[in-house]
């Protein structure tokens, strides 16, 4: 007995000491004030969001999005505090929000027009964060540094912003409002319980009959088909092939991706067919697929680090399908599939918030899609899983403040039309689900209102390829079977309905596209929108958000239109963009005459690395054997310096100097379009040491070269392009067929590449190039006179069909019509 009492006493004493130890640790291992102070107001890193609203800025939204650079590492229990006031000292009338766990905030209330100030602070902490971070920083003298105890706050500086009276109202509804408006009954995604009868009537007898019949007929052809097996783990593939080359893994992922997407797209359509007909054979088939796919190991081959394309698509198409067929599952079946669903969704949330820190390092590709998929999962389980509230609040805050990362208010997309197609498709899927469930309409963002014009101008439906960005070799009317995506025409149809935009409907009808044979098509089919040719729009448009200038001569008329597209991107060559700042393309009369060359077999393929992801693949400038611009470096972007358009000419100036990271001191490309259809390029170039400058041109067919007269001719069916180098300096011309050191992996057709090089190494040079597109046997009468080439003066006279123009490049650009 005595031994037992002694043992109990020892245990009691041990617990007291243990408690004392943890209390001491909590006191002395809190986040250091010194370290917090060092991170307050720090500059954002590359690919990290800047402070918003910026100090001294005039906001477009009321309230504006609030964002700051987070304290890192971010997993600590400390919280942020946000204060907003018209008083710079924050002493009176202060709006305060506490307990913020991420470095962005969407405010629920409107701000009175006028001058405001904002600041953020860091508050509290439990010590665990500082314990880890302090050790990493070599800080271990906890007695020396004051600690950030609960209740203590370290504030940032005050930043001033102005809310104008005409700022767009954009107050966040708040997560409580959102959760209260999500229906508790099922279905709750896209079509609500009390709408089923209405949609079934439309599908059987009304305006959806033909579209629904197509969807159902396709399902009938695939019911009961064998499903794709769980894809092997990428590392196993590498081991089997006895190679450490991660590129092989990327290839494998991209090549298995379409199969997974194919079966999962069909899964959603089976669920949709069940919803539209009530026939359980479709619901049972949808259920079979859910049980199959959500039996795949979430920690295995389709984890985020295995084959995340399959993993993301599973959630993308699985949430709606499960919602529509929920009552067909037994409790045991629900428990089984929901366990996997929750695991995958939880992983997405943790990866976005803690691993990617997507709310701050927002310039990422896959997380932009993942956020949409996570939000649909949160809507699906809003009233069943307590975690869903946090997931939805996180994604909505990101969407409200930041989305889309790759575009600004002008509606253009940094990654190019092909990736635009993918990200808009999945983004609209979530936006419609949210609108149906809660009434919140994210399509009211300025980006969405303007986005049809990005495609109409930069990638009209008669275009032959889709610059600038990955997969730019594909024309817009091509469905993407390798990625199981809708074509651009279907996307434009959907946008035409959402925005009541007749020009977008024209685009869709031109490509022969309907609303899409899927849930988006069912929701957005609307015969009331009448198509309108964009011929009445301005022939030139500038998209400053992505540094894109589109110049047309007859927009909407394929037989007469000439389209010159110019690119110098403030994002730089990051993500799915390419190192092609100050590059151009030219299409005319329905054919591509100056192209963005190369193909996109898969991300980072050998062809991509050796060709497509190099500046020599663009109609651009390189030096000394193809050395060009930096790739995947956000610190050296391009820039559109000027843009103007009038009745006589269009003009734009791109600056790509920084993108060469010291290879060049200067690369200014001036583009003058004398209307209609005569283009001048003036390339002002200098380097820190003598180099051979190289001017590149890419085509689909072999060019003819007149080296003596410095003329290059391009022919493509009935379309012609004459390229004439006007500078007095002699050039060397080389033409390359195909991709000698970088053959495309899928054996695509050769492209042809012209290099017009300086004959000797020089530190400075100018290229003065005239581009004349015309139809076969109809070359316009053009002559050049009085060319002046001086260090600070470059000009010429041009006679076009009897009209004389004076064109100045230096010291300033101007175009004057002679009297």
């Amino acid at each position: 007995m005595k031994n037992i009492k002694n043992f109990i006493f020892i245990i009691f004493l041990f617990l007291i000491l243990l408690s004392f130890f943890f209390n001491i640790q909590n006191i002395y291992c809190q986040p250091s004030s010194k370290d917090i102070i060092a991170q307050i107001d720090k500059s954002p890193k590359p690919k990290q969001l800047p402070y918003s609203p910026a100090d001294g800025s005039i906001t477009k939204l009321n309230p504006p999005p609030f964002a700051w650079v987070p304290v890192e590492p971010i997993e600590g229990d400390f919280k942020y505090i946000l204060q907003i006031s018209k008083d710079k000292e924050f002493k009176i009338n202060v709006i305060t929000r506490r307990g913020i766990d991420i470095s962005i905030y969407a405010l629920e209330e409107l701000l009175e027009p006028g001058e405001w100030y904002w600041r953020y602070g860091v508050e509290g902490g439990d010590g665990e964060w500082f314990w880890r971070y302090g050790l990493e920083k070599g800080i271990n003298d906890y007695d020396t540094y004051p600690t950030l105890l609960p209740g203590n706050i370290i504030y940032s500086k005050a930043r001033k912003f102005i809310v104008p009276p005409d700022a767009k109202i954009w107050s966040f509804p708040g997560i409580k409002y959102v959760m209260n408006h999500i229906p508790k009954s099922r279905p709750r995604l896209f079509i609500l319980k009390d709408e089923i009868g209405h949609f079934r009537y439309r599908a059987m007898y009304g305006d959806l009959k033909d579209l629904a019949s197509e969807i159902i007929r396709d399902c009938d052809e695939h019911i009961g088909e064998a499903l794709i097996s769980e894809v092997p783990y990428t590392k196993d593939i590498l081991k089997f092939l006895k190679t450490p080359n991660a590129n092989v893994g990327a290839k494998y992922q991209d090549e298995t991706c379409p199969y997974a997407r194919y079966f999962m797209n069909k899964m959603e359509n089976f669920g949709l067919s069940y919803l539209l007909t009530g026939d359980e054979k479709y619901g049972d088939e949808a259920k079979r697929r859910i049980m199959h796919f959500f039996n795949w190991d979430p920690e295995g081959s389709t984890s985020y680090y295995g084959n995340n394309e399959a993993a993301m698509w599973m959630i993308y198409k699985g949430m709606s399908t499960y919602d529509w067929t929920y009552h067909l599952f037994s409790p045991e079946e629900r428990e089984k599939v929901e366990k996997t669903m929750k695991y995958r969704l939880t992983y997405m949330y943790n990866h976005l918030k803690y691993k990617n820190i997507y709310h701050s390092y927002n310039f990422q590709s896959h997380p932009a899609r993942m956020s949409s998929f996570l939000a649909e999962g949160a809507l699906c389980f809003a009233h069943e899983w307590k975690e869903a509230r946090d997931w939805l609040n996180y994604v909505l805050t990101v969407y409200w403040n930041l989305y889309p990362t790759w575009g600004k208010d002008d509606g253009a997309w940094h990654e190019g039309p092909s990736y635009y197609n993918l990200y808009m498709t999945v983004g609209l899927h979530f936006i419609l689900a949210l609108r149906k469930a809660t009434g919140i309409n994210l399509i009211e963002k300025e980006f969405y209102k303007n986005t049809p014009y990005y495609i109409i101008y930069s990638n009209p439906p008669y275009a032959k390829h889709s610059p600038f960005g990955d997969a730019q070799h594909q024309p817009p009317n091509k469905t993407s079977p390798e990625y199981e995506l809708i074509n651009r025409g279907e996307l434009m149809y959907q946008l035409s309905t959402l925005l009541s935009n007749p020009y977008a409907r024209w685009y869709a009808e031109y490509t022969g596209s309907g609303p899409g044979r899927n849930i988006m098509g069912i929701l957005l089919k609307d015969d009331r929108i009448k198509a309108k040719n964009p011929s009445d729009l301005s022939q030139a448009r500038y998209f400053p958000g992505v540094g894109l200038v589109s110049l047309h001569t007859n927009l909407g008329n394929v037989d007469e239109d000439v389209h010159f597209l110019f690119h110098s991107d403030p994002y730089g060559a990051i993500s799915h963009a390419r190192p092609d700042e100050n590059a151009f393309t030219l299409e005319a009369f329905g054919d591509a005459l100056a192209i963005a060359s190369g193909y996109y077999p898969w991300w980072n393929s050998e062809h991509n690395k050796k060709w497509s992801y190099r500046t020599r693949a663009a109609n651009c400038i390189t030096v000394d054997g193809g050395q060009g611009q930096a790739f995947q470096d956000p610190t050296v972007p391009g820039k559109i310096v000027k843009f103007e358009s009038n009745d006589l000419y269009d003009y734009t100036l791109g600056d790509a100097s920084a993108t060469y990271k010291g290879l060049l001191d200067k690369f200014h490309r001036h583009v003058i379009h004398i209307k209609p259809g005569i283009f001048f390029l003036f390339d002002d170039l200098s380097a820190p040491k003598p180099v051979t400058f190289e001017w590149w041109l890419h085509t689909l067919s072999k060019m003819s070269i007149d080296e003596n007269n410095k003329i290059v001719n391009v022919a493509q069916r009935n379309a012609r392009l004459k390229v004439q180098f006007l500078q007095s300096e002699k050039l060397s011309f080389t033409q390359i067929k195909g991709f000698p050191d970088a053959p495309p992996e899928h054996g695509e057709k050769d492209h042809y590449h012209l290099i017009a090089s300086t004959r000797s190494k020089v530190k400075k040079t100018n290229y003065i190039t005239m581009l004349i597109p015309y139809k076969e046997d109809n070359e316009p009468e053009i002559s050049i006179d009085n060319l002046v080439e001086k260090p600070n003066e470059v000009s010429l006279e041009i006679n076009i069909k009897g009209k004389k123009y004076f064109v100045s490049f230096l010291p300033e650009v101007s175009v004057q019509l002679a009297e």
Side-chain angles (χ1 to χ4, degrees), residues 197-240:
H198 171 68
F199 275 93
R200 285 182 180 172
Y201 180 87
R202 289 176 65 193
M204 293 178 65
Y205 309 108
D207 61 312
L208 295 178
K209 182 177 181 180
D210 291 343
L211 177 58
S213 296
E214 291 178 13
I215 295 171
I216 293 166
R217 188 163 50 247
D218 181 70
C219 285
D220 286 336
E221 294 175 1
H222 295 278
I223 198 165
E225 69 183 352
L227 303 178
I228 182 175
S229 300
E230 186 169 0
V231 297
Y233 193 51
T234 301
K235 288 182 179 178
D236 292 339
I237 293 296
L238 299 181
K239 184 177 180 181
F240 175 76

Side-chain angles (χ1 to χ4, degrees), residues 729-798:
E729 180 184 9
K730 291 185 178 182
L731 299 171
S732 296
F733 290 85
T734 304
Q735 184 168 194
I736 302 169
K737 177 184 178 181
F739 312 91
D741 59 345
E745 283 81 358
H746 295 156
E748 290 91 344
K749 292 181 179 179
D750 286 335
H751 292 162
Y752 290 80
H753 321 284
L754 172 85
I755 311 170
S757 306
T758 54
R759 290 195 173 184
S760 61
K761 291 183 179 290
V762 293
K763 292 182 69 174
K764 293 184 178 182
T765 195
N766 295 326
Y767 283 89
I768 310 170
T769 318
M770 179 171 60
L771 283 67
I772 308 171
Y774 62 96
K775 293 182 180 179
E776 184 180 18
D777 300 326
N778 195 25
E779 182 178 351
E781 296 180 8
I782 295 176
S783 61
I784 301 294
D785 298 303
N786 298 326
L787 174 63
V788 176
E789 295 179 277
K790 297 179 180 179
N792 296 312
E793 181 184 358
V794 179
S795 63
L796 56 81
E797 292 179 5
I798 179 172

Side-chain angles (χ1 to χ4, degrees), residues 332-572:
E332 295 75 20
E333 289 169 332
R334 289 176 192 157
E335 182 180 2
K336 183 177 181 180
V337 297
E338 287 185 19
K339 181 180 179 181
T340 303
M341 290 175 177
K342 179 179 282 191
Y343 186 97
R344 290 189 180 277
L345 288 164
T346 300
Y347 186 89
M348 282 187 175
Y349 174 67
N350 289 334
H351 197 87
L352 284 169
K353 185 175 181 180
Y354 300 112
K355 178 68 175 178
N356 288 106
I357 318 178
Y358 184 56
H359 53 275
S360 185
Y361 294 91
N362 204 233
F363 301 101
Q364 303 178 60
S365 186
H366 286 204
R369 278 184 283 151
M370 197 189 304
S371 60
S372 299
F373 305 149
L374 174 63
E376 286 194 40
L379 289 172
C380 183
F381 294 104
H383 300 297
E384 290 77 23
W385 299 347
K386 59 181 177 56
E387 299 91 340
R389 180 188 179 99
D390 290 338
W391 300 346
L392 192 55
N393 190 44
Y394 180 80
V395 175
L396 280 180
T397 303
V398 169
Y399 257 84
W400 207 264
N401 278 5
L402 312 176
Y403 198 87
T405 303
W406 298 124
K408 306 300 182 187
D409 286 352
D410 55 49
W413 195 260
H414 159 71
E415 297 178 306
S418 294
Y419 267 78
Y420 168 92
N421 213 62
L422 170 60
Y423 282 79
M424 284 296 292
T425 299
V426 299
L428 289 179
H429 200 269
F430 159 60
I431 287 172
L432 259 66
L434 178 71
R435 187 172 77 169
K436 179 65 71 168
T438 67
I440 295 170
N441 192 12
L442 288 170
I443 207 72
E444 293 180 357
K445 280 197 163 194
E446 288 302 307
F447 168 84
Y448 292 107
K449 290 183 178 181
N450 289 319
T451 200
Y453 299 105
Y454 163 60
I455 294 298
I456 290 168
Y457 276 90
S458 73
N459 197 220
Y462 45 79
K464 296 302 182 185
H465 70 322
S466 304
F468 293 93
D470 279 342
Q472 62 189 9
H473 64 281
Q474 293 182 347
N477 59 356
K478 176 182 172 61
T479 305
S480 302
E482 67 269 39
Y483 290 111
E484 275 291 310
L485 300 175
I486 65 172
N487 65 40
R488 207 149 302 140
E490 290 179 5
L491 177 59
M492 291 295 277
Y493 183 105
Q494 294 166 10
L495 288 170
S496 75
T497 297
L498 286 166
L499 301 167
S500 298
N501 188 308
Y503 302 115
R505 183 60 60 90
W506 164 83
Y507 193 109
E509 291 186 1
Y510 192 102
T511 62
S513 302
R517 292 187 296 178
N518 48 46
I519 182 60
M520 301 290 284
I522 291 294
L523 293 176
L524 296 175
K525 186 179 186 301
D526 189 342
D527 299 329
R528 296 170 297 178
I529 308 296
K530 302 304 178 185
K532 186 178 182 181
N533 189 293
S535 59
D536 63 333
L537 297 177
S538 169
Q539 295 297 305
R541 190 151 180 150
Y542 170 38
F543 299 91
V546 299
L548 195 67
V549 175
S550 176
L551 308 176
H552 288 265
T553 63
N554 205 324
L555 178 61
N557 184 346
V558 60
D559 294 327
E560 301 299 329
D561 191 27
V562 175
H563 179 210
F564 184 97
L565 189 64
F566 183 64
H567 183 233
S568 201
D569 194 334
Y571 284 91

Side-chain angles (χ1 to χ4, degrees), residues 62-63 106-110 168-174 400:
N62 183 6
L107 192 65
E108 301 90 345
E109 59 192 272
L110 294 177
K168 179 183 177 67
I169 294 176
W170 196 245
S171 53
F172 187 58
W400 207 264

Side-chain angles (χ1 to χ4, degrees), residues 584-602:
F584 71 92
T585 60
L586 192 150
E587 298 198 10
F589 321 118
D591 276 297
L593 297 171
I595 67 167
S597 75
Y599 295 94
Y600 183 61
W602 59 84

Side-chain angles (χ1 to χ4, degrees), residues 620-633:
C620 203
I621 298 293
T622 63
V623 298
D624 289 344
Q627 296 182 65
Q629 300 170 8
F631 182 49
Q632 298 298 338
D633 186 344

